[in-house]
Amino acid sequence: MQNFYLKMHGIKVTIFEKHNKLGGILRYGIPEFRLEPEVLDKWLENLLDENIQVCCNKKLGENIFLDELQKEYDAIFLSFGANISCKMNISGEDLNGVIGANELLEYKNFPDFSGKKVAVIGGGNVAIDTARTVKRLGASNVTIVYRRNEEQMPAEKEEIEFAKTEQIEFLFKTNIIKILGNEKNNVNKIECIKTELIKKDGQDRLIPINVENSNFFVDTDYVIMAVGSKTSEGLLGKLNLETSKWGYVLTDENYKTSIDGVFAGGDLIGTKATVAWAARNGRDAAKEITHYLSKKLTIIK
Ligand SMILES: Cc1cc2nc3c(=O)[nH]c(=O)nc-3n(C[C@H](O)[C@H](O)[C@H](O)COP(=O)(O)OP(=O)(O)OC[C@H]3O[C@@H](n4cnc5c(N)ncnc54)[C@H](O)[C@@H]3O)c2cc1C
């Protein structure tokens, strides 16, 4: 999407993408029952033309490198997202059967969920999409464990309703504090604790606080973590870009990073993680890049 706006400004663009098709999370994340790939294909077909060159199976940091791109291009826009599942840093997270939701949906390396009990931790779109996917793959019991209540779930309301009609269960106001396994190191239960929600000065959202002695156990075969996502620390390290304290690429209000000629937008810079915001970043960054290029070319003249 970001590159479409650059093209509109008359700039020749090359897109480098690590997968073998374009689409980002819309193709490699959001499940097909929510967004059919044919819809995306049609949309891309209308967007792409001879001014946009597409190079798939090119992974920044592995088979293309920033310094090479800097030599070849007048400006670079980074928008490689933030699709790596965060961890909770609780005991048992390294057991077999604990899976990151983002990776599960992106790479579709599904274990055999048939007849299994699955706990999905989180309350956003990723948690709901994961729960609905796993249910379709035959899991007998799928429970979403969320530390706040239903009204505060960041997921789309419609999606929550769909999940309920698909017999997905919800444990609200519940925190997971430990994952337990059997002698083979396979997950077999989670320890949870009830929460209460309190108002803190200066905070818009209610804060969940664990209620003492309210611990209980839930039997489960898999635990899928959908508690947020981050960008690749390894890749950021290679790029030598300044980052924010939350680990996103730092930009100024014009989408400029700490390296001249390198811009960034979308989930990578930590704006609201929605499709609309990523597209908006792309539109605004394209204007800034156009401005930057016109100044640069004037100086060269
Ligand atoms: C399961 C799920 C459900 C969601 N549901 C919704 C929803 O209902 N509504 C909504 O508004 N938002 C939703 N979101 C969030 C939304 O999809 C993102 O905010 C949006 O896609 C971000 O766009 P982006 O272009 O910044 O990054 P992405 O869409 O992540 O695109 C990044 C692209 O960079 C590529 N890439 C990554 N690393 C490299 C590399 N090293 N080299 C080359 N290419 C690379 C990726 O393959 C990808 O194509 C959902 C996200 C997920 C994971």
Side-chain angles (χ1 to χ4, degrees):
M1 172 57 96
Q2 290 91 341
N3 301 287
F4 167 68
Y5 288 112
L6 279 173
K7 183 196 79 171
M8 275 173 52
H9 291 277
I11 293 167
K12 282 206 168 215
V13 181
T14 308
I15 304 175
F16 295 96
E17 163 59 47
K18 71 171 178 180
H19 281 297
N20 63 4
K21 282 189 169 186
L22 296 181
I25 285 176
L26 302 187
R27 189 186 301 280
Y28 299 100
I30 295 177
E32 291 188 20
F33 57 81
R34 273 183 75 203
L35 177 59
E36 290 168 12
E38 294 73 29
V39 174
L40 199 56
D41 290 340
K42 191 92 213 136
W43 187 67
L44 283 167
E45 209 180 288
N46 293 332
L47 234 60
L48 298 173
D49 68 15
E50 69 283 357
N51 285 320
I52 300 186
Q53 196 194 343
V54 178
C55 300
C56 285
N57 302 312
K58 287 285 180 189
K59 190 167 182 187
L60 185 63
E62 281 191 13
N63 57 5
I64 38 158
F65 300 92
L66 188 57
D67 52 354
E68 288 171 9
L69 296 176
Q70 281 172 299
K71 283 183 204 141
E72 204 171 326
Y73 296 92
D74 296 305
I76 295 155
F77 180 68
L78 299 174
S79 58
F80 53 81
N83 201 34
I84 294 176
S85 303
C86 290
K87 291 198 166 192
M88 289 185 71
N89 296 322
I90 57 173
S91 161
E93 234 170 327
D94 51 351
L95 288 167
N96 305 322
V98 182
I99 310 170
N102 296 70
E103 291 75 13
L104 189 75
L105 294 176
E106 178 172 355
Y107 295 101
K108 299 183 175 58
N109 282 331
F110 300 120
D112 183 4
F113 285 118
S114 21
K116 302 290 186 204
K117 295 192 185 90
V118 181
V120 179
I121 319 299
N125 284 318
V126 181
I128 301 281
D129 282 352
T130 304
R132 297 182 68 201
T133 300
V134 166
K135 190 77 185 175
R136 279 166 173 71
L137 291 168
S140 59
N141 213 284
V142 182
T143 307
I144 292 183
V145 181
Y146 181 51
R147 59 194 182 142
R148 294 188 168 89
N149 53 28
E150 182 173 348
E151 296 70 56
Q152 291 162 327
M153 280 183 97
E156 304 279 333
K157 299 294 164 223
E158 194 187 29
E159 300 300 319
I160 301 172
E161 291 312 314
F162 284 141
K164 284 183 191 165
T165 59
E166 291 165 12
Q167 276 75 53
I168 285 156
E169 290 164 29
F170 290 82
L171 269 178
F172 292 113
K173 290 173 74 178
T174 302
N175 229 339
I176 168 176
I177 54 173
K178 199 174 187 178
I179 306 170
L180 297 104
N182 59 18
E183 64 290 344
K184 290 183 176 158
N185 281 339
N186 295 330
V187 169
N188 64 5
K189 55 170 78 88
I190 52 174
E191 183 176 357
C192 299
I193 191 163
K194 296 306 292 179
T195 67
E196 62 174 323
L197 302 176
I198 59 154
K199 175 98 188 99
K200 271 200 178 161
D201 285 348
Q203 302 256 17
D204 289 339
R205 282 185 100 191
L206 294 174
I207 308 293
I209 303 285
N210 293 347
V211 177
E212 238 179 87
N213 298 325
S214 64
N215 305 42
F216 63 100
F217 293 89
V218 179
D219 289 342
T220 192
D221 301 301
Y222 288 97
V223 179
I224 307 182
M225 291 293 181
V227 291
S229 59
K230 57 182 183 172
T231 194
S232 162
E233 284 158 16
L235 178 53
L236 284 186
K238 286 184 192 166
L239 298 180
N240 278 325
L241 289 164
E242 258 181 54
T243 52
S244 68
K245 63 175 172 180
W246 296 282
Y248 296 110
V249 167
L250 200 63
T251 64
D252 67 8
E253 66 285 3
N254 298 323
Y255 302 92
K256 287 182 175 166
T257 68
S258 52
I259 301 180
D260 182 50
V262 180
F263 296 75
D267 284 6
L268 180 62
I269 64 166
T271 36
K272 290 179 193 168
T274 66
V275 175
W277 269 91
R280 182 187 170 143
N281 277 188
R283 181 197 63 192
D284 296 346
K287 273 192 215 147
E288 293 303 331
I289 295 171
T290 309
H291 183 62
Y292 169 85
L293 289 176
S294 61
K295 266 187 18 199
K296 185 173 169 174
L297 296 178
T298 314
I299 294 166
I300 292 170
K301 265 197 262 171

